[in-house]
Amino acid sequence: MKKSNILALCIAALFSSCASEFNKVYKTADNDYKYEYAKQCFAMGKFQQASSLLQDVVMLQKGRDNAQESLYLLGMSQYCNKDFESASATFKKYYSSYPKGTFAEQASFYVGQSLFRGAPEPRLDQTPTIGAINAYQQFLDLFPDSELRPLAQERMFILQDNLVQKEYLSAQLYYNLGGYFGNINANTESNYEACIITAQNALKNYPYSKIREKFSVLIMKSKFYLAENSSEERRLERYRDAEDECYGFLNEYPESKECATAEKFITKCKKVTKE
């Protein structure tokens, strides 16, 4: 028999033995042994097995010395197994049950950390991202002197960047739709107006955003094209507004690559406003 075949058989036998041992432990009525075996699984990086065993054990540990440790270990097993939704719920349960507990600080932090790890990309719904930010903020309020504070703050900035990027993608979509009227609602006259409102709200909510200039570019361009597509009665007013926006952009971003665009818009606006 080839060495490779022998090795494969040995590995299969080993896995079969391990699975058999786990099944015996899982079915045992000796919960103390089950708990110790779960801790051993966690230490060996077998997080799925540890989580499965701990889910059985946790309820039975209530009121016992191991109650706090078992609940926290369950949360960590779920977290390490990348079951972030379950981990967040478990850490929340720990903190609500033991606000002064041994692992209270870590559990509070890992509520946010679990939500952070499960946060969606900016194009998707950002409700989980907002939940993660709120969880980190609660942690900072509860444990202002924690050694984990810098990491929590760093993660909050990352999550806020996701929210900003989401707003930028929305504003950019409105701008790209331009004169298309199929999606216009009663609150806006055109996609350009929707772009302006979305971008202005983003600048108001996130004044120190890294992509502030990008929002400003969208506002400037949208105001100009909104003026160009306006009815006769609003045309002059909107060209003046677009011109003011261009001057404001040049003042704020004198080194921007879009300065030439702003100057071109100003020239066109002046032709209309001086007629």
Side-chain angles (χ1 to χ4, degrees), residues 183-200:
N183 67 313
I184 300 301
N185 57 45
N187 297 320
T188 55
E189 181 181 321
S190 74
N191 287 302
Y192 290 125
E193 189 175 4
C195 174
I196 293 166
I197 292 170
T198 302
Q200 286 178 334

